């Protein structure tokens, strides 16, 4: 075991998560929402304590809690914090209950959306018999008498250009028996044609087209409706609109597509200690989450309307939540109970409903999910960068997938189920899995999300996986879902694949 791995294991044993290399204080490189910079959170006495308990006794009990390798055992926390599969299931159900309305968009604006209805063919494909190859359209058995330049006579307008029948020529005249005419790939087959003879299979000698071998009847002719008939269902609703889907839709006659509108998302970055540019100095740190979350949400299917930095201003946060027109608001930091952690108080003041208030996962356990009075959802992320990524993939990702019609199976169930011993939501749409190529220490009670990279047939755990770090996730292809207790080398683990991997 390396020194870093030993430090990681010791940190886990002390209930602090993976801390080697953690930035000394600081938000989005520090501990907003996971604990204030410079030590433990300050604020009111912990829930479950006696407010009339003498300060010295309370301090003594806090000291004993700090020495407990699993942290203080607050029964209210046990109720408040959902296990990881249940939290993902709750987020998926929330997204499925608020799907944006379908909209019709031009083909050049449809990329990246999902189909709001099945894609049907508006025409036969192909719409008429066409040539599959460059060559000659022939009628009957050969040899054939060429029409046009091949026989030295002026070409007939009814049989196309001096080069024969080209793609786009409309309704060529019937081809008489025993005759041939040059034809291009994609050109309309003239009536009377029995086959297309490829250019390399024939030659004109003595003013007759002669074939190396007689073509079979119908050779190299694409018959009308070979791919589909008008009215056929081509793709189901919910299919992502890819470049290939755009091509199919255009070929099938569509100018606009009915798609699911992307959920509108707004990012609110909290914390007075954050710098928007430059080198960290004077006790302040760079905002790492503001530049990261917008593109990440867009990769998950959202339309990001704004990223705003509000600092530690309770009034500004309340106003932003009250006035938002977004379907999803994502906040960073401020989800704990410190003196300037304003997310919970703002939600109470608004009358929002907490759907998930803490998750038994490391890093990122102070994450939350709420429904605002407007019907929009709020995902509150911890301020530590990797903890925020954990919250994004635990709550925002399943919510957005379900809202856009691509939700996992949890959205269709009344409650979460768990695969045996895995922490994996059971059902017909499981997470992908892979073999671990290195041991991962686990938390005694919580799921752990660890950056990994694909390496051959397995995944290799990455270093720099502390809650305040982004170095590991920047080189990762997925987060491994490590169940409580850890996972040895060779164990199978489920994966949260990153959108761009």
């Amino acid at each position: 075991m390396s020194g870093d791995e030993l430090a990681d294991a010791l940190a886990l044993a002390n209930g602090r998560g993976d801390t080697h290399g953690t930035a000394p204080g600081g938000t989005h490189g520090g501990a907003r929402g996971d604990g204030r910079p410079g030590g433990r959170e300050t604020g009111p006495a912990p829930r479950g304590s006696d407010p009339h308990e003498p300060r010295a006794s309370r301090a003594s009990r806090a000291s004993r809690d700090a020495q407990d390798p699993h942290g203080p055992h607050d029964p209210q926390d046990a109720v408040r914090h959902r296990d990881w599969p249940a939290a993902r299931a709750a987020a998926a159900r929330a997204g499925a209950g608020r799907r944006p309305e379908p909209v019709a968009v031009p083909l050049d604006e449809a990329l990246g959306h999902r189909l709001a209805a099945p894609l049907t063919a508006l025409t036969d494909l192909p719409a008429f018999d066409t040539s599959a190859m460059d060559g000659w359209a022939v009628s009957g058995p050969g040899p054939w008498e060429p029409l046009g330049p091949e026989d030295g006579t002026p070409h007939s307008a009814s049989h196309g250009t001096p080069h024969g029948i080209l793609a786009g020529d409309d309704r060529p005249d019937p081809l008489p028996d025993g005759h041939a005419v040059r034809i291009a790939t994609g050109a309309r087959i003239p009536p009377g044609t029995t086959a297309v003879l490829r250019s390399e299979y024939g030659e004109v000698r003595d003013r007759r087209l002669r074939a190396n071998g007689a073509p079979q009847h119908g050779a190299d002719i694409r018959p009308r409706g070979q791919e589909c008939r008008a009215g056929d269902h081509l793709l189901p609703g919910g299919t992502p609109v890819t470049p290939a889907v755009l091509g199919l839709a255009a070929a099938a006659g569509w100018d606009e597509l009915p798609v699911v509108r992307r959920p509108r998302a707004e990012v609110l970055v909290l914390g007075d200690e954050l710098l928007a540019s430059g080198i960290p100095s004077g006790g302040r740190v760079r905002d790492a989450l503001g530049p990261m979350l917008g593109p990440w949400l867009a990769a998950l299917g959202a339309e990001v309307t704004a990223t705003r930095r509000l600092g530690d201003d309770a009034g500004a946060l309340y106003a932003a939540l009250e006035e938002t027109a977004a379907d999803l608001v994502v906040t960073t930091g401020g989800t704990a109970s410190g003196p300037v952690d304003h997310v919970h108080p703002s939600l109470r003041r608004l009358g929002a409903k907490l759907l998930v208030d803490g998750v038994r996962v490391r890093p990122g356990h102070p994450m939350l999910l709420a429904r605002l009075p407007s019907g929009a959802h709020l995902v509150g992320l911890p301020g530590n960068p990797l903890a925020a990524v954990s919250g994004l993939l635990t709550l925002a990702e399943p919510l957005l997938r379900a809202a856009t019609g691509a939700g996992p199976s949890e959205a269709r169930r009344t409650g979460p189920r768990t695969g045996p011993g895995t922490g994996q939501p059971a059902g017909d749409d499981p997470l992908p899995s892979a073999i671990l190529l290195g041991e991962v220490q686990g938390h005694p009670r919580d799921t752990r999300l660890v950056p990994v990279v694909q390496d051959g047939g397995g995944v290799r755990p990455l270093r720099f996986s502390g809650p305040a770090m982004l170095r590991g996730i920047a080189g990762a292809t997925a987060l491994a879902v490590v169940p409580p207790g850890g996972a040895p080398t060779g164990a199978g683990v489920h994966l949260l694949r990153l959108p761009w991997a």
Side-chain angles (χ1 to χ4, degrees), residues 19 59 109 154 157 159 189 201 233 258 322 326 328 351 372 423 425 432 474:
T19 59
E109 297 177 13
H159 285 120
I189 295 291
Y201 292 166
H233 281 219
E322 185 180 43
L328 173 65
L372 303 179

Side-chain angles (χ1 to χ4, degrees), residues 35 79 126 138 170 174 181 199 228 235 275 282 311 345 372 375 390 428 440 477:
V79 174
V138 298
D170 188 33
V181 64
S199 297
C228 65
L235 293 170
L275 292 170
L372 303 179
S390 173
D428 57 359
V440 177
T477 56

Side-chain angles (χ1 to χ4, degrees), residues 130-156:
T130 61
S131 177
M133 292 287 173
D134 292 336
W136 289 270
V138 298
S139 179
W144 303 271
E145 180 181 350
L147 295 175
E150 302 294 349
D151 65 356
T153 63
H155 80 277
S156 167

Side-chain angles (χ1 to χ4, degrees), residues 93-258:
R93 288 194 300 274
R98 184 179 168 83
R99 289 185 176 171
E101 65 280 1
V103 293
V105 298
L107 291 184
D108 60 2
E109 297 177 13
L111 185 67
H113 289 78
R114 289 185 179 271
L115 294 177
L119 182 68
T120 58
L122 302 181
T123 180
D124 297 343
L125 282 181
F128 41 80
D129 294 350
T130 61
S131 177
M133 292 287 173
D134 292 336
W136 289 270
V138 298
S139 179
W144 303 271
E145 180 181 350
L147 295 175
E150 302 294 349
D151 65 356
T153 63
H155 80 277
S156 167
S158 63
H159 285 120
T161 70
H163 305 287
I165 304 172
L166 301 181
D169 290 349
D170 188 33
R171 300 187 182 281
D173 282 350
L175 186 62
D177 185 42
H179 288 72
V181 64
R182 279 201 173 272
I183 194 167
T185 301
R188 188 166 190 160
I189 295 291
T193 300
T194 55
V196 169
L197 179 67
R198 299 187 187 189
S199 297
E200 59 269 28
Y201 292 166
E203 62 176 339
V204 176
R205 297 194 310 269
D206 300 327
R207 302 182 67 174
R208 288 291 184 271
L209 172 64
R210 306 177 189 275
N212 299 331
Q216 292 185 350
H217 189 87
D220 289 320
I221 294 175
R222 291 187 62 210
R224 175 176 180 171
Q226 182 185 51
E227 186 171 0
C228 65
R229 289 290 184 180
D232 283 355
H233 281 219
L234 305 178
L235 293 170
T239 299
V241 179
T242 63
V245 170
L246 291 174
L248 176 61
W254 291 87
D255 299 319
E256 296 182 330
L257 284 179

Side-chain angles (χ1 to χ4, degrees), residues 17 49 66 152 218 231 251 297 307 359 431 447 454 457 484 491:
S49 67
L297 288 166
T307 296
V359 179
L431 296 174
T447 298
Q454 192 76 35

